[in-house]
Amino acid sequence: MQKKIIIANWKCNPISTKEGEKILFSLKESIKTENEVIICPPSVFLSHFLTLFSGIYSFGGQDCFFEEKGAYTGEISPKMLQSIGCKYVIVGHSERRTIFNETDKTINLKINRILNSTKLIPILCIGENREEREKNKTFAILKEQIKNALKGVAIGKAKKIIIAYEPIWAIGTGVYAEEKQIEEAKDYIAKILCDIYGSKTSKIIYGGSVDSKNIKQILGTTDMDGVLVGGSSLKPKEFSAIANYK
Ligand code: PEP
């Protein structure tokens, strides 16, 4: 049985260290798995959780900046995340693209900075919105996002990246993509990677309204390497059922 990658993206939740600790202590009791469980809480909590729970979960940032240090008020660099013990960092989440105007260009700068200056594993999020899917533009969007994000990334480094296929219409909506849509997207992403590098290179995971009820269907009937979980990752019962998938 292949180990799966199970990522919790807490987004801008919860609002206190205590609440976050409560979730993680509860998960500690209920998660019994060989899968790689990665928690991405708000960055302000990372150091504290890394001290309490290192060796139990892996931790990651939800975003990072594309420079190492300097006069960039409010930003956090990949090296800083690495220095506190993070192993992963999410890049290009659709909420960052749409709410914070993140572009393919800045995503590419971030991916290169992460890979060239740290050992962090980037989790690159890509995916189409509802309108793009309805206009049959899904593959074109995926191709553009992957090609732009991976500019200047050599094959050896590309192998480290995890690509998260996250159709925007499935994020936070309770409507997850059908197995056929997930499988088609995975095959297409693999094809683009083959066109660029000659092989599939990266692990490919799915994100979008994953919960304890659909996890078996999503991972059992598709060939995905794991899942990225938003809303359900803040509910210990839900998330432990997802993390314990086998
Ligand atoms: C996400 O934030 O990446 C996500 C998939 O959210 P949700 O699981 O809530 O759809």
Side-chain angles (χ1 to χ4, degrees), residues 7-11 90 93-95 125 164-176 206-211 227-233 242:
I7 305 172
N9 175 19
W10 283 7
K11 313 190 187 200
I90 297 172
H93 191 280
S94 62
E95 284 151 16
C125 298
Y165 170 57
E166 296 212 298
I168 297 172
W169 49 269
I171 296 182
T173 58
V175 180
Y176 65 101
Y206 167 78
S209 294
V210 175
D211 62 26
V227 285
L228 202 166
V229 188
S232 299
S233 70
I242 295 167

Side-chain angles (χ1 to χ4, degrees), residues 15-200:
I15 53 168
S16 73
T17 324
K18 275 274 160 283
E19 277 180 75
E21 257 179 42
K22 214 171 137 197
I23 297 171
L24 293 176
F25 276 120
S26 171
L27 289 175
K28 193 170 155 233
E29 297 306 311
S30 50
I31 294 182
K32 311 267 179 253
T33 184
E34 296 290 302
N35 295 329
E36 170 83 349
V37 179
I38 303 158
I39 311 287
C40 301
S43 57
V44 70
F45 301 140
L46 274 167
S47 269
H48 182 67
F49 294 162
L50 271 152
T51 310
L52 286 181
F53 300 101
S54 71
I56 298 167
Y57 317 107
S58 296
F59 284 90
Q62 296 178 6
D63 183 34
C64 65
F65 190 45
F66 52 74
E67 295 291 354
E68 195 168 296
K69 61 179 187 167
Y72 306 107
T73 303
E75 293 298 329
I76 295 169
S77 77
K79 273 222 161 140
M80 292 171 189
L81 291 172
Q82 177 169 272
S83 77
I84 57 166
C86 284
K87 292 204 185 116
Y88 297 85
V89 58
I90 297 172
V91 179
H93 191 280
S94 62
E95 284 151 16
R96 298 224 54 94
R97 292 180 192 256
T98 54
I99 304 170
F100 302 100
N101 302 322
E102 180 118 53
T103 63
D104 280 357
K105 173 80 188 145
T106 54
I107 289 163
N108 175 247
L109 290 171
K110 290 178 182 191
I111 292 280
N112 276 293
R113 174 66 63 188
I114 294 161
L115 292 170
N116 293 334
S117 71
T118 70
K119 293 195 165 72
L120 292 176
I121 297 176
I123 301 156
L124 169 66
C125 298
I126 57 169
E128 81 287 0
N129 64 28
R130 164 75 53 208
E131 194 189 342
E132 288 157 351
R133 174 156 285 270
E134 283 170 0
K135 289 188 174 157
N136 283 324
K137 287 186 179 163
T138 300
F139 286 174
I141 295 292
L142 296 181
K143 184 175 182 177
E144 191 178 290
Q145 290 179 341
I146 296 169
K147 287 205 156 176
N148 286 338
L150 298 182
K151 267 184 200 152
V153 177
I155 181 162
K157 297 235 161 93
K159 283 182 180 160
K160 286 180 59 185
I161 301 173
I162 296 169
I163 297 186
Y165 170 57
E166 296 212 298
I168 297 172
W169 49 269
I171 296 182
T173 58
V175 180
Y176 65 101
E178 291 165 18
E179 294 82 326
K180 188 168 165 278
Q181 294 170 321
I182 297 175
E183 205 58 28
E184 270 174 6
K186 173 160 182 168
D187 290 347
Y188 188 72
I189 294 165
K191 181 194 167 313
I192 300 300
L193 293 172
C194 282
D195 289 348
I196 304 173
Y197 296 111
S199 71
K200 183 195 149 225

